[in-house]
Amino acid sequence: MDVTGSGPAEPMIRLRGVGKTFANGTHAVRDLDLDVGRGELVCLVGPSGCGKSTTLKMINRLIEPTTGTIEIDGRDVTGEDAVALRRGIGYVIQQVGLFPHQRIEANVMTVPLLYGESRSVARRRAHELMEMVGLDPATYADRFPHQLSGGQRQRVGVARALAADPPVLLMDEPFGAVDPIVRVRLQDEFLRLQSELGKTVVLVTHDIDEAVRMGDRVAVFAEGGRLAQYDTPVALLGRPADDFVADFVGSTAGLRRLTVTPIDEAHLEPLDGVSTGDLGSTIDVDSTLEEALAVLLRDDKPMIGVRRGVVFVGVLTPNGIHRALRASLR
Ligand code: ADP
Ligand code: MG
């Protein structure tokens, strides 16, 4: 939080002019400027091969950048000891990467043990982390990875990355290996966890729906490691910077914007003059426009009531939804 009034607080992660050209001549990332604020969840999204994983691995120096500087918490980390750096950064890799011959407990204990904790402290910490990600230690601690579902394995991967309580968490397609229903559940669980933990998170995905659902901001990468747009979900879907982004967010971007835009009290209408027969159910003012529209369609009424707690604050019509969508881009 900035208390000096001298401008925005220093970002937790700052990339300036970062590029990576591999030995075989592939330009994976070019001239990348990217800031990630403290406690912010940023999604890197784009088609396969556009440099997302390479960018993530440059932040924890699993890959050394060819050009540019990377600062974490105000320190230039390009000259720092890479192993020490990685200890302060949680990392969830693309294929989860659990040790197949170790029980779940041992998999999660790896990191605390690495830090020199005793076995009993490491075990206690592992059980805490398992509970945190919704895996009952009594049931799962002694299982092997192959005895878990894909979604459960992903949770173990998240638990392990959080083991050292790092301020920064890098996640590479963390929900990639599960079916769409489990994926949404894992996304929700992670967002709930993140609202408690407030980590600075960089999450890679190739799924634009996941990106706009999870991200405070979304960075869209294009072929050749070019950053095409870096914006809030609402701005990204409503004002794509170029044809590439417009194409990538797709023709249903308008519908997706409903999912990321909250109801705005300024676009409600007063109750007077409304015949109660026109009024469907009521919905909480904290709902999204998508939830509001879903209720309108379900009730087959021209408007729904909006309340804050038990207090009625107005009625929302399809026109109001349209106005709120437009206003969200101002
Ligand atoms: P993404 O995660 O967006 O799918 P990557 O960052 O993994 O993409 O890869 C970006 C580009 O760099 C791709 O063209 C990929 O083939 C290439 N690449 C990745 N790693 C290496 C490597 N070690 N050597 C050479 N080329 C690589
Ligand atoms: Mg990748």
Side-chain angles (χ1 to χ4, degrees), residues 59-245:
I59 296 173
N60 66 7
R61 294 194 44 217
L62 283 171
I63 293 178
E64 298 291 345
T66 332
T67 63
T69 58
I70 298 175
E71 285 176 24
I72 296 181
D73 206 3
R75 295 185 336 259
D76 181 349
V77 296
T78 32
E80 272 186 30
D81 177 56
V83 175
L85 171 71
R86 262 173 245 144
R87 296 223 172 126
I89 301 180
Y91 183 43
V92 182
I93 61 173
Q94 210 160 343
Q95 299 306 328
V96 188
L98 301 181
F99 304 119
H101 304 301
Q102 286 188 5
R103 297 176 195 278
I104 298 308
E105 176 185 272
N107 263 282
V108 182
M109 281 169 66
T110 314
V111 177
L113 287 175
L114 204 68
Y115 279 88
E117 299 288 5
S118 67
R119 291 197 69 79
S120 65
V121 170
R123 180 172 295 114
R124 200 178 328 128
R125 177 79 183 132
H127 286 207
E128 266 171 37
L129 289 156
M130 289 182 66
E131 271 166 23
M132 201 189 269
V133 299
L135 290 174
D136 177 19
T139 310
Y140 297 103
D142 288 336
R143 293 204 188 171
F144 289 98
H146 73 90
Q147 295 169 316
L148 264 52
S149 71
Q152 289 167 338
R153 280 199 291 271
Q154 304 262 351
R155 289 191 184 98
V156 177
V158 172
R160 198 174 50 179
L162 289 170
D165 198 17
V168 173
L169 195 56
L170 308 178
M171 307 174 85
D172 200 343
E173 312 233 7
F175 316 121
V178 293
D179 65 69
I181 291 168
V182 174
R183 173 183 272 243
V184 168
R185 194 181 320 139
L186 290 175
Q187 290 167 350
D188 284 342
E189 278 174 13
F190 184 77
L191 286 174
R192 185 182 43 73
L193 196 60
Q194 165 65 0
S195 73
E196 288 162 22
L197 300 179
K199 302 288 181 194
T200 302
V201 183
V202 184
L203 186 154
V204 163
T205 175
H206 59 265
D207 176 359
I208 183 68
D209 287 317
E210 178 163 286
V212 299
R213 196 153 188 277
M214 306 279 294
D216 297 311
R217 283 191 290 171
V218 176
V220 181
F221 282 64
E223 244 78 325
R226 173 180 73 90
L227 178 60
Q229 188 167 356
Y230 187 30
D231 247 322
T232 61
V234 167
L236 185 73
L237 297 173
R239 284 207 197 99
D242 58 23
D243 288 348
F244 170 79
V245 180

Side-chain angles (χ1 to χ4, degrees), residues 187-312:
Q187 290 167 350
D188 284 342
E189 278 174 13
F190 184 77
L191 286 174
R192 185 182 43 73
L193 196 60
Q194 165 65 0
S195 73
E196 288 162 22
L197 300 179
K199 302 288 181 194
T200 302
V201 183
V202 184
L203 186 154
V204 163
T205 175
H206 59 265
D207 176 359
I208 183 68
D209 287 317
E210 178 163 286
V212 299
R213 196 153 188 277
M214 306 279 294
D216 297 311
R217 283 191 290 171
V218 176
V220 181
F221 282 64
E223 244 78 325
R226 173 180 73 90
L227 178 60
Q229 188 167 356
Y230 187 30
D231 247 322
T232 61
V234 167
L236 185 73
L237 297 173
R239 284 207 197 99
D242 58 23
D243 288 348
F244 170 79
V245 180
D247 203 42
F248 189 71
V249 299
S251 55
T252 56
L255 286 175
R256 292 204 188 94
R257 279 175 61 207
L258 293 169
T259 69
V260 296
T261 311
I263 291 177
D264 181 346
E265 253 182 88
H267 301 99
L268 302 181
E269 285 151 47
L271 186 58
D272 0 307
V274 173
S275 104
T276 41
D278 284 344
L279 200 57
S281 319
T282 63
I283 189 167
D284 196 88
V285 69
D286 288 334
S287 309
T288 64
L289 294 178
E290 182 193 40
E291 288 160 333
L293 187 61
V295 173
L296 266 177
L297 293 171
R298 183 195 68 198
D299 291 357
D300 196 20
K301 297 277 169 141
M303 55 191 66
I304 54 169
V306 179
R307 60 186 151 67
R308 165 171 285 116
V310 293
V311 181
F312 198 88

Side-chain angles (χ1 to χ4, degrees), residues 22 24 26 28 47-55:
F22 285 106
N24 65 2
T26 305
S48 177
C50 65
K52 307 179 296 292
S53 295
T54 302
T55 300

